[in-house]
């Protein structure tokens, strides 16, 4: 009993210290382990399996729209990185360099990719000649390196996993349509698979990607009221094409520059899953993304027939298409319950000698802890129904949290008060001037998250400077 208590006590309450709660959860749920490489994390099987499920679902959605996967080198020659001025300026402070190969100093240093626009551009300049070569819809799953000073598991690390899509199109309209199409894929994925509602919108010029004409984003709200940028999609226009000479001959045999996009989602999104759904007992995984959906825990497993019954039920449920495990270790049931809770496994099925005698089992939901006694004949159907219900309820709860933590301000005083006292998004009109954005950041540490597609007219003027308002912006403190 003393040991069981220790397992639960190991997690700090989220209301006491949210940052410590997060660290405890990623560690106790065995998602990551710290490595000897500063700022880099080891993703353990429980964490990597979540990423694999994210990868599988997204990859399928990308391919449905004609995207193909490729793999590019992890090194970028300095001369290539230098070609697009804004891009190199944006990334220079966090780039890692390779200056030596084997025993020899390199003539030209190589950077470890922080992102691969320059490599794709170089590649596209070689393989695109005619309008018949377009569009090019490529994506790669890889890791990238950004030399971050402060790091946190999943949220910010020197090396992280992601996918980066890079497309080239004949026209501006086509590129813009692709940019929005991919943003919508990310948003739908977050809602349908991760049960995370997001705000879709455009970044201000200050917050857009280095070298992009426009950046679109999905912003999610964490349990503590901080925002997390959860996926971005960029329209590059023909800026990179001009810098890298990516031209094609059109139907009239005239040379034209291509229009490009890029879009990415990373292992950061696992941080969002943790911080949107987790509770004081640990992780709560949405059923559609959970590597294990059902953990069967035998009660009094030493008694005859108990383990056999759990294996039989496991086989039945796997046959029905669910991801199921039996915890037949020699730990006590209480300890097993705690572990299942910490790991966020959506459902637990308890089966003991008395249940077997009554031809029943007990299903326990991880999110609500509701206990459902079910006849073994109906177990499979009930599991399916409960998983679906839980997925839907989790989205509803997250939506309610988002709504309850979004306020709007019509004066700058109201705004400052909301940022200081009501953690969450604050909607306020903006004149479009970077000076006001800077002032808000200095005064409150909040940043512009996005100009949402769904606009409202709260006031006619920018409350900060009094000039006419150009757009409504979601502001907030962010990870
Ligand atoms: Zn202003």
């Amino acid at each position: 009993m003393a040991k069981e208590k220790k397992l639960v006590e190991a997690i700090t309450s989220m209301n006491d210290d949210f940052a410590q709660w997060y660290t405890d959860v990623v560690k106790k749920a065995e998602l990551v382990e710290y490595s000897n490489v500063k700022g880099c994390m080891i993703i353990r099987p429980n964490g990597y399996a979540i990423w694999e499920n994210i990868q599988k679902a997204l990859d399928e959605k990308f391919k449905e729209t004609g995207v193909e996967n490729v793999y590019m080198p992890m090194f970028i020659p300095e001369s290539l990185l230098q070609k697009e001025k804004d891009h190199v300026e944006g990334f220079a402070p966090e780039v890692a360099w390779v200056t030596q190969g084997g025993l020899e100093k390199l003539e030209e240093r190589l950077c470890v990719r922080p992102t691969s626009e320059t490599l794709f551009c170089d590649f596209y300049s070689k393989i695109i000649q005619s309008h018949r070569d377009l569009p090019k819809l490529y994506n790669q799953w890889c890791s990238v390196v950004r030399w971050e000073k402060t790091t946190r598991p999943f949220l910010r690390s020197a090396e992280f996993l992601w996918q980066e899509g890079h497309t080239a199109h004949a026209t501006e309209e086509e590129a813009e349509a692709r940019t929005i199409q991919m943003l919508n894929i990310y948003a739908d994925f977050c809602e349908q698979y991760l049960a995370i509602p997001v705000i879709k919108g455009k970044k201000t010029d200050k917050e857009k990607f280095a070298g992009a004409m426009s950046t679109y984003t999905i912003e999610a709200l964490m349990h503590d009221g901080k925002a997390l940028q959860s996926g971005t999609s960029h329209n590059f226009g023909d800026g990179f094409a001009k810098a890298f000479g990516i031209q094609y001959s059109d139907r009239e045999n005239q040379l034209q520059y291509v229009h490009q996009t890029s879009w990415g989602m990373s292992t950061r999104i696992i941080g969002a899953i943790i911080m949107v759904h987790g509770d004081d007992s640990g992780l709560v995984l949405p059923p559609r993304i959970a590597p294990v959906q059902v953990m069967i825990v035998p009660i009094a497993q030493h008694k005859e027939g108990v383990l056999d019954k759990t294996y039989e039920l496991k086989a039945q449920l796997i046959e029905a298409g669910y991801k199921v495990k039996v915890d037949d270790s020699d730990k006590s049931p209480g300890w097993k319950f705690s572990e299942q809770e910490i790991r966020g496994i959506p459902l637990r099925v308890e089966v003991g000698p008395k249940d077997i005698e009554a031809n029943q089992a007990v299903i326990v939901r991880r999110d609500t802890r509701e206990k459902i006694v079910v006849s073994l004949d109906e177990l499979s159907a009930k599991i399916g129904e409960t998983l679906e219900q839980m997925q839907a309820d989790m989205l509803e709860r997250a939506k309610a949290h988002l709504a309850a933590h979004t306020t709007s301000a019509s004066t700058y005083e109201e705004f400052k008060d909301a940022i200081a006292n009501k953690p969450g998004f604050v909607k306020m009109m903006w004149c479009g001037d970077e000076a006001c954005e800077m002032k808000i950041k200095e005064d409150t540490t909040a940043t512009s998250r996005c100009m949402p597609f769904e606009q409202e007219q709260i006031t006619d003027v920018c409350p900060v400077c009094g000039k006419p308002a150009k757009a409504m912006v979601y502001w907030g403190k962010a990870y």
Side-chain angles (χ1 to χ4, degrees):
M1 200 58 208
K3 234 183 146 192
E4 274 161 33
K5 223 175 141 198
K6 209 173 128 203
L7 191 66
V8 182
E9 277 178 358
I11 299 179
T12 306
S13 160
M14 51 164 66
N15 289 329
D16 291 347
D17 184 345
F18 194 77
Q20 190 58 48
W21 168 84
Y22 179 83
T23 308
D24 289 348
V25 170
V26 294
K27 199 76 201 294
K28 299 293 166 189
E30 298 185 352
L31 301 180
V32 302
E33 182 56 69
Y34 295 99
S35 77
N36 275 325
V37 190
K38 197 176 166 286
C40 294
M41 60 180 170
I42 295 163
I43 307 180
R44 302 181 67 169
N46 289 351
Y48 200 76
I50 298 173
W51 180 240
E52 283 179 314
N53 285 348
I54 290 170
Q55 222 175 355
K56 212 186 290 169
L58 276 180
D59 201 61
E60 208 169 277
K61 285 176 184 290
F62 295 162
K63 285 174 178 163
E64 278 168 14
T65 73
V67 170
E68 298 172 289
N69 285 335
V70 297
Y71 189 78
M72 304 295 280
M74 74 180 298
F75 303 116
I76 306 173
E78 186 167 18
S79 54
L80 208 57
L81 195 71
Q82 299 287 0
K83 279 195 176 178
E84 214 286 338
K85 197 181 128 285
D86 290 341
H87 186 68
V88 68
E89 272 177 17
F91 280 98
E94 49 189 36
V95 160
W97 293 100
V98 178
T99 56
Q100 187 157 328
L103 299 174
E104 277 157 42
K105 202 170 178 309
L106 298 181
E107 273 177 35
E108 179 181 14
R109 55 182 189 159
L110 303 169
C111 94
V112 184
R113 63 179 165 217
T115 177
S116 308
E117 273 73 17
T118 53
L119 288 170
F120 272 93
C121 285
D122 187 46
F123 176 41
Y124 282 153
S125 73
K126 293 184 178 117
I127 63 165
I128 295 170
Q129 274 95 38
S130 146
H131 61 91
R132 291 178 203 94
D133 299 327
L134 295 171
K136 283 277 180 277
L137 309 172
Y138 292 161
N139 173 65
Q140 77 166 338
W141 292 94
C142 64
S143 76
V144 286
V145 169
R146 297 181 188 174
W147 218 252
E148 303 276 3
K149 288 196 184 81
T150 50
T151 57
R152 292 188 72 192
F154 296 119
L155 301 176
R156 203 168 286 280
S157 49
E159 183 190 12
F160 59 89
L161 300 174
W162 79 346
Q163 59 69 217
E164 47 178 319
H166 296 268
T167 68
H169 306 266
T171 66
E172 198 180 324
E173 294 72 29
E174 220 183 279
E176 179 68 9
R178 172 59 64 168
T179 313
I180 302 295
Q181 179 182 25
M182 301 321 283
L183 188 81
N184 284 331
I185 286 181
Y186 290 145
D188 292 346
F189 169 74
C190 283
E191 289 217 2
Q192 293 163 10
Y193 285 78
L194 310 183
I196 298 176
V198 294
I199 306 295
K200 290 190 272 190
K202 193 177 176 179
K203 286 280 183 192
T204 61
D205 281 350
K206 183 176 173 293
E207 298 288 329
K208 73 182 184 187
F209 181 82
M213 193 172 78
S214 42
T215 289
Y216 299 95
T217 178
I218 52 169
E219 300 283 325
L221 196 66
M222 305 299 102
H223 190 85
D224 63 346
K226 277 196 189 171
L228 188 88
Q229 177 179 302
S230 302
T232 47
S233 189
H234 318 286
N235 185 345
F236 290 138
D238 57 7
F240 275 93
K242 283 181 173 156
F244 284 82
I246 316 170
Q247 285 181 296
Y248 70 96
S249 53
D250 66 13
R251 282 167 218 279
E252 280 76 46
N253 223 13
Q254 299 291 309
L255 274 182
Q256 305 286 354
Y257 285 106
V258 299
H259 290 77
Q260 289 170 272
T261 80
S262 87
W263 24 275
M265 188 176 261
S266 74
T267 36
R268 266 200 125 191
I269 199 71
I270 297 176
I273 299 172
I274 299 165
M275 290 194 289
V276 169
H277 300 301
D279 64 20
D280 279 349
S281 302
L283 207 57
V284 182
L285 290 174
R288 288 193 79 178
I289 213 71
V292 179
Q293 296 169 313
V294 181
M295 180 63 88
I296 303 178
V297 180
I299 311 292
Q301 67 184 42
H302 59 279
K303 296 220 168 140
E304 207 194 322
V306 173
L307 275 180
D308 287 343
K309 194 69 191 175
T310 58
Y311 297 144
E312 186 193 315
L313 293 174
K314 177 187 165 189
Q316 242 177 54
L317 291 174
I318 286 175
E319 177 72 27
Y322 307 114
K323 296 165 187 157
V324 187
K325 279 192 172 171
V326 173
D327 190 346
D328 54 7
S329 66
D330 62 1
K331 298 164 188 163
S332 74
W335 184 268
K336 292 176 184 178
F337 294 170
S338 293
E339 275 188 337
Q340 173 253 335
E341 293 195 344
I342 284 175
R343 288 175 55 192
I345 296 167
L347 301 182
R348 175 170 83 228
V349 174
E350 303 170 10
V351 191
K354 281 180 191 156
D355 297 309
I356 296 170
E357 222 178 274
N359 193 44
Q360 67 177 35
V362 182
I363 301 173
V364 187
R365 262 174 75 159
R366 169 64 183 88
D367 60 336
T368 58
R369 292 193 165 75
E370 184 195 349
K371 288 191 174 191
I372 307 159
V373 179
V374 61
S375 149
L376 290 184
D377 306 325
E378 285 155 23
L379 182 66
S380 174
K382 194 68 189 171
I383 290 283
E385 193 184 299
T386 313
L387 286 171
E388 263 178 47
Q389 190 60 50
M390 179 171 164
Q391 180 82 29
D393 291 349
M394 287 177 76
L395 178 61
E396 281 316 306
R397 273 198 301 275
K399 277 184 176 172
H401 180 267
L402 173 62
H405 292 81
T406 303
T407 49
S408 57
S410 27
T411 67
Y412 193 36
E413 284 313 307
E414 265 177 40
F415 179 85
K416 284 189 279 193
D417 178 60
I419 290 290
N421 302 311
K422 294 174 209 154
F425 287 126
V426 183
K427 300 188 277 188
M428 185 174 72
M429 303 306 291
W430 177 54
C431 57
D433 216 326
E434 199 173 306
C436 287
E437 222 178 331
M438 300 284 279
K439 180 170 168 51
I440 289 171
K441 194 176 179 182
E442 270 164 38
D443 291 350
T444 67
T445 73
T447 50
S448 69
R449 303 317 309 153
C450 71
M451 297 177 276
F453 292 153
E454 287 177 33
Q455 282 284 314
E456 292 163 45
Q457 188 79 27
I458 303 169
T459 52
D460 293 331
V461 297
C462 165
V464 180
C465 68
K467 280 187 281 187
K470 283 196 181 134
M472 182 189 80
V473 174
Y474 270 83
W475 308 85
K477 293 183 185 174
Y479 279 98

